[in-house]
Amino acid sequence: MKAIWNGAVLAESDNTVIVDRNHYFPADSINKQYFTDSSTHTTCSWKGVASYYSVEVDGQINQDAAWYYPSAKEKAKNIEGYVAFWKGVKVED
């Protein structure tokens, strides 16, 4: 699977985990040069508190386009640290 935005491959992995129709990519599969930490956090009742990354490609910023659970709740431990995408990021195989 690949996560693509603005012509750049943000992440690529054969080992994504699908949860709630989202592909979660292992942390070591993301191209870190495109990611910056965001101060945004949200809470999922069964996954826990999500942290966000903004993505920057060729000077364009996609605010909070990726999220992950740094300390997932017990039922979501399989995606702890994995990164998922939205806001126009295409995930395809």
Side-chain angles (χ1 to χ4, degrees), residues 19-81:
V19 176
D20 294 337
R21 295 189 306 253
N22 292 302
H23 281 270
Y24 283 79
F25 289 77
D28 64 1
S29 72
I30 68 169
N31 293 316
K32 293 185 181 4
Q33 72 266 27
Y34 299 119
F35 292 76
T36 55
D37 289 323
S38 168
S39 60
T40 301
H41 298 281
T42 57
T43 301
C44 172
S45 61
W46 72 274
K47 289 181 240 149
V49 177
S51 295
Y52 287 77
Y53 291 118
S54 294
V55 175
E56 182 175 353
V57 177
D58 293 333
Q60 291 190 311
I61 297 173
N62 192 341
Q63 188 71 36
D64 298 337
W67 75 92
Y68 64 100
Y69 293 91
S71 297
K73 288 186 174 183
E74 197 56 43
K75 289 184 180 178
K77 283 291 183 189
N78 63 321
I79 59 164
E80 186 171 280

Side-chain angles (χ1 to χ4, degrees), residues 3-11 31 34 55-58 89-90:
I4 301 168
W5 184 71
N6 205 24
V9 176
L10 304 178
N31 293 316
Y34 299 119
V55 175
E56 182 175 353
V57 177
D58 293 333
V89 177
K90 275 184 72 174

